[in-house]
Amino acid sequence: MEKNDTSHAKWDAQLRKGTLELVIMAALQKGAKFGLELLGFLRDYETMIISEGTLYPLLDRLKREGLIDANWQQEDNTRPRKYYELTSEGKNRLTELTSRWRQSVRDIETLLNAK
Amino acid sequence: MSEREQIHNYLVALNRYLSRLQKHEADDVLREIESHIYDAIDEQEKRGGKADPASVLEGFGRPRELADSYINHIQLGAPPPQGFAAIKSVKRGVSKALYYGMAIFGYAFAITLIFTAMANLVYPESVGIWSYSGGNSIVIGFFENALPESDELMGFWYTPFALVAGYCLVRLTKGIMDVLKPNLQVNQ
């Protein structure tokens, strides 16, 4: 059982590594989010739980690539937070990656169902 | 060690390792991480638990590794701005001499162009672009006497031409400096 858990964890980690950019952009498609909010959002998805140390440098990279934008905002008496949102370039990239992802899923499904 | 001391020590260490970034970039990273840490602790307390900064800091990993994650993609992964792809391969090894040499060359040439643009308004006979050898050779300059046996090509229009060229050269030089600067700091 323990071996199975380790194997699943490795599989999940490999999958996340290749899809994290798509996952983060997908999580931002409904609107701007700050880092802690994004982490909490992803915690609802069993295979997509990531650490702070993975999230923030990735957000920084996506920002440098022009795929997301970041703005400091302060609401009422809360601490200032840095909100991230997709740029138009990011939205285009998300559309492209979504299409490739769906193609991959179809291909894998076809392979799995082949007799 | 108190809660605040733990957080302070983490941020101080992170700041030290982020020194390879430009200061405003490092400050922005620190500000965001500090905000996250205190928000996460507030959440722990709201859920009725005890504030546990160590568990929050654990999520970020060691300061050096976190800083490396920020810096590595700048050096290796992030593309340079549009139009600067050609310098990607050389920027990792940029030395102080190359950095300042390019800055001096770029800005000096730009200033010269802008200076001659202005001088052309006062000494139109002495400033301009001359064509030599049937167009095989071009001379741009500011001379005491007009060049003999050659034609000045632009007249008054040298001024706007040189102003635009000087401005473009300033922008280009600034762009190259911005791309090279983080790597210059790594090599110091």
Side-chain angles (χ1 to χ4, degrees):
Chain A
M1 185 67 187
E2 192 177 315
K3 192 181 172 187
N4 242 354
D5 286 349
T6 313
S7 173
H8 286 165
K10 277 186 184 171
W11 164 260
D12 290 348
Q14 287 295 325
L15 188 66
R16 272 197 306 273
K17 198 173 173 185
T19 56
L20 208 46
E21 183 178 329
L22 170 64
V23 168
I24 298 295
M25 288 198 293
L28 292 174
Q29 68 180 330
K30 289 275 168 68
K33 287 185 174 61
F34 60 96
L36 187 61
E37 188 181 13
L38 205 44
L39 277 178
F41 180 76
L42 294 177
R43 281 197 185 110
D44 290 340
Y45 300 87
E46 187 189 326
T47 60
M48 293 299 155
I49 297 169
I50 58 171
S51 71
E52 291 85 343
T54 301
L55 177 68
Y56 283 104
L58 177 63
L59 288 169
D60 187 60
R61 178 169 70 80
L62 295 176
K63 183 169 159 280
R64 287 175 188 276
E65 291 179 3
L67 299 173
I68 60 175
D69 205 2
N71 289 298
W72 284 96
Q73 290 176 28
Q74 185 166 17
E75 293 162 1
D76 305 326
N77 294 325
T78 61
R79 223 166 259 116
R81 288 159 176 165
K82 195 173 177 184
Y83 280 80
Y84 294 91
E85 61 184 338
L86 288 176
T87 60
S88 54
E89 196 180 342
K91 286 174 186 165
N92 292 338
R93 177 86 176 137
L94 177 60
T95 305
E96 285 168 21
L97 290 181
T98 303
S99 164
R100 294 307 296 164
W101 168 255
R102 288 186 174 143
Q103 182 63 50
S104 297
V105 171
R106 279 197 298 272
D107 290 348
I108 293 169
E109 280 292 331
T110 306
L111 285 166
L112 288 172
N113 293 328
K115 290 182 181 173
Chain B
M1 195 187 298
S2 75
E3 176 188 308
R4 284 197 170 272
E5 277 174 336
Q6 278 184 65
I7 297 165
H8 175 75
N9 291 346
Y10 186 91
L11 294 172
V12 167
L14 182 62
N15 187 31
R16 192 166 64 243
Y17 293 120
L18 286 174
S19 61
R20 302 173 195 177
L21 294 184
Q22 292 186 33
K23 191 175 180 310
H24 72 274
E25 292 176 330
D27 287 347
D28 199 55
V29 169
L30 290 168
R31 186 181 174 204
E32 179 173 36
I33 288 174
E34 184 177 19
S35 164
H36 177 108
I37 292 168
Y38 284 110
D39 270 350
I41 289 172
D42 285 351
E43 275 198 3
Q44 286 176 337
E45 289 174 338
K46 269 184 205 162
R47 286 198 298 262
K50 187 174 177 295
D52 182 12
S55 70
V56 179
L57 296 177
E58 197 180 314
F60 284 103
R62 293 180 179 182
R64 183 172 203 156
E65 287 163 5
L66 180 62
D68 283 346
S69 301
Y70 275 98
I71 291 157
N72 288 343
H73 72 251
I74 294 168
Q75 287 182 262
L76 305 172
Q82 206 168 10
F84 291 88
I87 64 172
K88 190 178 179 182
S89 58
V90 299
K91 70 176 189 172
R92 281 178 217 158
V94 63
S95 65
K96 269 187 178 178
L98 175 65
Y99 179 80
Y100 289 110
M102 288 192 74
I104 290 167
F105 176 79
Y107 288 129
F109 196 24
I111 288 167
T112 304
L113 279 169
I114 293 166
F115 171 73
T116 54
M118 297 301 174
N120 188 44
L121 298 174
V122 184
Y123 307 104
E125 300 299 318
S126 303
V127 178
I129 301 179
W130 284 267
S131 169
Y132 265 108
S133 310
N136 290 328
S137 182
I138 298 283
V139 174
I140 303 174
F142 184 1
F143 302 98
E144 190 175 351
N145 300 309
L147 292 178
E149 298 173 10
S150 60
D151 303 318
E152 205 285 309
L153 300 177
M154 299 188 79
F156 165 79
W157 293 104
Y158 176 79
T159 293
F161 165 77
L163 282 176
V164 171
Y167 173 74
C168 291
L169 193 54
V170 167
R171 293 290 303 267
L172 179 67
T173 306
K174 169 90 170 49
I176 292 173
M177 297 300 102
D178 287 346
V179 172
L180 294 181
K181 191 170 185 184
N183 298 81
L184 172 74
Q185 290 172 339
V186 170
N187 294 329
Q188 278 174 343

